[in-house]
Amino acid sequence: MKLYYAPGACSLADHIALIESKLPFTTDKVDLKARTTAEGEDYTAVNPKGYVPALGLDAGGVLTENVAILGYIADRVGNLMPQGPLGRFRALEALAYISTELHKSFAPFFKPGSSDEAKSAAKTQLGKRFGLFEDALASQEFALGDQFGVADCYLFVMLFWAREKVGLDLPPNLSSYYERLSQRAAIQQALAEEGLGD
Ligand SMILES: N[C@@H](CCC(=O)N[C@@H](CS)C(=O)NCC(=O)O)C(=O)O
């Protein structure tokens, strides 16, 4: 597999998940402005959507969208989503929430020319949407229970942005969760490989 990523973008979630999965993979860094990759590919030919992430599959073809890529990785290994008959649906439920309710709420912080008003409204919305995980983390170690999984990979990136891009003060449970995850080997490795380590 080959992960197409941009440093510190949402593709960091997939990068972390791939390291956690211990499946073999390579990476290719995408220049999102030029739409080319470090290995010299035309990125629009890889992913006509033009954005990261994209995952080149061993059997051929390319998978896009964080929810699908993270779900695919979790399905391949089985230990990155909750167990039980509803486990994969709990993972999809969390990934969909993170994608649509958290990830998209960061838009004003990435879009050039966004007004202070739009940023302030987004900050308020993010604070509310993170509340679901703040409450859950009062009684469990990870986003979906006591086992690390793909939802944590994605939630980590949202918290990384909340700290780095928005300057959001994280409530106590999320703050200690973020500090714990920051010490995790796969997360440190992914950050270092993207040039974002300490
Ligand atoms: N719906 C997509 C959104 C991916 C996305 O927002 N990618 C951003 C980086 S976090 C990007 O590549 N933006 C550059 C662009 O759109 O040109 C997914 O969840 O995978």
Side-chain angles (χ1 to χ4, degrees), residues 53-70:
L55 187 69
L57 303 174
D58 294 340
V62 171
L63 195 59
T64 63
E65 301 297 320
N66 283 296
V67 174
I69 294 173
L70 291 166

PDB file of all heavy atoms in Angstrom, residues 53-70:
ATOM      1  N   PRO A  53      -6.358  12.380   2.135  1.00  0.00           N
ATOM      2  CA  PRO A  53      -5.478  11.264   1.811  1.00  0.00           C
ATOM      3  C   PRO A  53      -5.961  10.477   0.606  1.00  0.00           C
ATOM      4  O   PRO A  53      -7.127  10.576   0.202  1.00  0.00           O
ATOM      5  CB  PRO A  53      -5.606  10.386   3.065  1.00  0.00           C
ATOM      6  CG  PRO A  53      -7.048  10.572   3.471  1.00  0.00           C
ATOM      7  CD  PRO A  53      -7.361  12.012   3.160  1.00  0.00           C
ATOM      8  N   ALA A  54      -5.030   9.666   0.068  1.00  0.00           N
ATOM      9  CA  ALA A  54      -5.404   8.611  -0.871  1.00  0.00           C
ATOM     10  C   ALA A  54      -4.525   7.417  -0.521  1.00  0.00           C
ATOM     11  O   ALA A  54      -3.387   7.590  -0.070  1.00  0.00           O
ATOM     12  CB  ALA A  54      -5.179   9.048  -2.305  1.00  0.00           C
ATOM     13  N   LEU A  55      -5.074   6.238  -0.715  1.00  0.00           N
ATOM     14  CA  LEU A  55      -4.313   5.028  -0.408  1.00  0.00           C
ATOM     15  C   LEU A  55      -4.268   4.150  -1.662  1.00  0.00           C
ATOM     16  O   LEU A  55      -5.308   3.683  -2.138  1.00  0.00           O
ATOM     17  CB  LEU A  55      -4.988   4.251   0.742  1.00  0.00           C
ATOM     18  CG  LEU A  55      -4.215   3.047   1.272  1.00  0.00           C
ATOM     19  CD1 LEU A  55      -2.942   3.483   2.016  1.00  0.00           C
ATOM     20  CD2 LEU A  55      -5.085   2.208   2.220  1.00  0.00           C
ATOM     21  N   GLY A  56      -3.049   3.983  -2.196  1.00  0.00           N
ATOM     22  CA  GLY A  56      -2.865   3.073  -3.328  1.00  0.00           C
ATOM     23  C   GLY A  56      -2.871   1.650  -2.785  1.00  0.00           C
ATOM     24  O   GLY A  56      -2.172   1.332  -1.822  1.00  0.00           O
ATOM     25  N   LEU A  57      -3.703   0.804  -3.378  1.00  0.00           N
ATOM     26  CA  LEU A  57      -3.883  -0.558  -2.859  1.00  0.00           C
ATOM     27  C   LEU A  57      -2.979  -1.554  -3.583  1.00  0.00           C
ATOM     28  O   LEU A  57      -2.674  -1.372  -4.769  1.00  0.00           O
ATOM     29  CB  LEU A  57      -5.355  -0.973  -3.019  1.00  0.00           C
ATOM     30  CG  LEU A  57      -6.360  -0.029  -2.338  1.00  0.00           C
ATOM     31  CD1 LEU A  57      -7.792  -0.440  -2.683  1.00  0.00           C
ATOM     32  CD2 LEU A  57      -6.143  -0.012  -0.826  1.00  0.00           C
ATOM     33  N   ASP A  58      -2.566  -2.578  -2.854  1.00  0.00           N
ATOM     34  CA  ASP A  58      -1.652  -3.581  -3.436  1.00  0.00           C
ATOM     35  C   ASP A  58      -2.288  -4.267  -4.646  1.00  0.00           C
ATOM     36  O   ASP A  58      -1.598  -4.604  -5.603  1.00  0.00           O
ATOM     37  CB  ASP A  58      -1.272  -4.634  -2.382  1.00  0.00           C
ATOM     38  CG  ASP A  58      -0.448  -4.014  -1.266  1.00  0.00           C
ATOM     39  OD1 ASP A  58       0.131  -2.929  -1.500  1.00  0.00           O
ATOM     40  OD2 ASP A  58      -0.395  -4.589  -0.158  1.00  0.00           O
ATOM     41  N   ALA A  59      -3.594  -4.476  -4.589  1.00  0.00           N
ATOM     42  CA  ALA A  59      -4.269  -5.174  -5.684  1.00  0.00           C
ATOM     43  C   ALA A  59      -4.594  -4.234  -6.840  1.00  0.00           C
ATOM     44  O   ALA A  59      -5.228  -4.644  -7.818  1.00  0.00           O
ATOM     45  CB  ALA A  59      -5.544  -5.805  -5.159  1.00  0.00           C
ATOM     46  N   GLY A  60      -4.175  -2.978  -6.729  1.00  0.00           N
ATOM     47  CA  GLY A  60      -4.497  -1.972  -7.751  1.00  0.00           C
ATOM     48  C   GLY A  60      -5.681  -1.146  -7.297  1.00  0.00           C
ATOM     49  O   GLY A  60      -6.491  -1.587  -6.487  1.00  0.00           O
ATOM     50  N   GLY A  61      -5.764   0.065  -7.832  1.00  0.00           N
ATOM     51  CA  GLY A  61      -6.855   0.963  -7.452  1.00  0.00           C
ATOM     52  C   GLY A  61      -6.453   1.846  -6.278  1.00  0.00           C
ATOM     53  O   GLY A  61      -5.446   1.597  -5.601  1.00  0.00           O
ATOM     54  N   VAL A  62      -7.238   2.870  -6.087  1.00  0.00           N
ATOM     55  CA  VAL A  62      -6.942   3.871  -5.057  1.00  0.00           C
ATOM     56  C   VAL A  62      -8.195   4.090  -4.227  1.00  0.00           C
ATOM     57  O   VAL A  62      -9.290   4.217  -4.780  1.00  0.00           O
ATOM     58  CB  VAL A  62      -6.500   5.202  -5.724  1.00  0.00           C
ATOM     59  CG1 VAL A  62      -6.403   6.317  -4.704  1.00  0.00           C
ATOM     60  CG2 VAL A  62      -5.167   5.025  -6.441  1.00  0.00           C
ATOM     61  N   LEU A  63      -8.007   4.105  -2.906  1.00  0.00           N
ATOM     62  CA  LEU A  63      -9.118   4.369  -1.984  1.00  0.00           C
ATOM     63  C   LEU A  63      -8.943   5.790  -1.449  1.00  0.00           C
ATOM     64  O   LEU A  63      -7.819   6.174  -1.098  1.00  0.00           O
ATOM     65  CB  LEU A  63      -9.050   3.341  -0.857  1.00  0.00           C
ATOM     66  CG  LEU A  63     -10.249   3.145   0.060  1.00  0.00           C
ATOM     67  CD1 LEU A  63     -11.484   2.742  -0.735  1.00  0.00           C
ATOM     68  CD2 LEU A  63      -9.922   2.065   1.094  1.00  0.00           C
ATOM     69  N   THR A  64     -10.037   6.543  -1.392  1.00  0.00           N
ATOM     70  CA  THR A  64      -9.966   7.901  -0.842  1.00  0.00           C
ATOM     71  C   THR A  64     -10.981   8.050   0.286  1.00  0.00           C
ATOM     72  O   THR A  64     -11.813   7.159   0.499  1.00  0.00           O
ATOM     73  CB  THR A  64     -10.261   8.968  -1.935  1.00  0.00           C
ATOM     74  OG1 THR A  64     -11.594   8.801  -2.405  1.00  0.00           O
ATOM     75  CG2 THR A  64      -9.288   8.853  -3.087  1.00  0.00           C
ATOM     76  N   GLU A  65     -10.903   9.153   0.991  1.00  0.00           N
ATOM     77  CA  GLU A  65     -11.768   9.533   2.112  1.00  0.00           C
ATOM     78  C   GLU A  65     -11.294   8.849   3.405  1.00  0.00           C
ATOM     79  O   GLU A  65     -11.209   7.613   3.481  1.00  0.00           O
ATOM     80  CB  GLU A  65     -13.256   9.224   1.879  1.00  0.00           C
ATOM     81  CG  GLU A  65     -13.844   9.903   0.654  1.00  0.00           C
ATOM     82  CD  GLU A  65     -13.846  11.440   0.729  1.00  0.00           C
ATOM     83  OE1 GLU A  65     -14.117  11.999   1.804  1.00  0.00           O
ATOM     84  OE2 GLU A  65     -13.555  12.074  -0.304  1.00  0.00           O
ATOM     85  N   ASN A  66     -11.060   9.691   4.394  1.00  0.00           N
ATOM     86  CA  ASN A  66     -10.566   9.181   5.681  1.00  0.00           C
ATOM     87  C   ASN A  66     -11.427   8.064   6.258  1.00  0.00           C
ATOM     88  O   ASN A  66     -10.906   7.082   6.773  1.00  0.00           O
ATOM     89  CB  ASN A  66     -10.497  10.324   6.706  1.00  0.00           C
ATOM     90  CG  ASN A  66      -9.299  11.207   6.475  1.00  0.00           C
ATOM     91  OD1 ASN A  66      -8.165  10.754   6.600  1.00  0.00           O
ATOM     92  ND2 ASN A  66      -9.528  12.457   6.108  1.00  0.00           N
ATOM     93  N   VAL A  67     -12.738   8.238   6.187  1.00  0.00           N
ATOM     94  CA  VAL A  67     -13.624   7.230   6.794  1.00  0.00           C
ATOM     95  C   VAL A  67     -13.402   5.874   6.128  1.00  0.00           C
ATOM     96  O   VAL A  67     -13.298   4.836   6.803  1.00  0.00           O
ATOM     97  CB  VAL A  67     -15.102   7.672   6.689  1.00  0.00           C
ATOM     98  CG1 VAL A  67     -16.027   6.575   7.185  1.00  0.00           C
ATOM     99  CG2 VAL A  67     -15.338   8.957   7.475  1.00  0.00           C
ATOM    100  N   ALA A  68     -13.296   5.879   4.796  1.00  0.00           N
ATOM    101  CA  ALA A  68     -13.114   4.615   4.066  1.00  0.00           C
ATOM    102  C   ALA A  68     -11.723   4.043   4.298  1.00  0.00           C
ATOM    103  O   ALA A  68     -11.565   2.832   4.522  1.00  0.00           O
ATOM    104  CB  ALA A  68     -13.348   4.849   2.579  1.00  0.00           C
ATOM    105  N   ILE A  69     -10.699   4.891   4.267  1.00  0.00           N
ATOM    106  CA  ILE A  69      -9.321   4.394   4.423  1.00  0.00           C
ATOM    107  C   ILE A  69      -9.110   3.848   5.834  1.00  0.00           C
ATOM    108  O   ILE A  69      -8.562   2.760   6.020  1.00  0.00           O
ATOM    109  CB  ILE A  69      -8.295   5.511   4.094  1.00  0.00           C
ATOM    110  CG1 ILE A  69      -8.400   5.881   2.609  1.00  0.00           C
ATOM    111  CG2 ILE A  69      -6.874   5.078   4.447  1.00  0.00           C
ATOM    112  CD1 ILE A  69      -7.562   7.095   2.214  1.00  0.00           C
ATOM    113  N   LEU A  70      -9.562   4.592   6.825  1.00  0.00           N
ATOM    114  CA  LEU A  70      -9.388   4.129   8.211  1.00  0.00           C
ATOM    115  C   LEU A  70     -10.200   2.854   8.451  1.00  0.00           C
ATOM    116  O   LEU A  70      -9.735   1.926   9.119  1.00  0.00           O
ATOM    117  CB  LEU A  70      -9.779   5.236   9.191  1.00  0.00           C
ATOM    118  CG  LEU A  70      -8.817   6.431   9.214  1.00  0.00           C
ATOM    119  CD1 LEU A  70      -9.430   7.625   9.948  1.00  0.00           C
ATOM    120  CD2 LEU A  70      -7.470   6.067   9.858  1.00  0.00           C
TER     121      LEU A  70
END
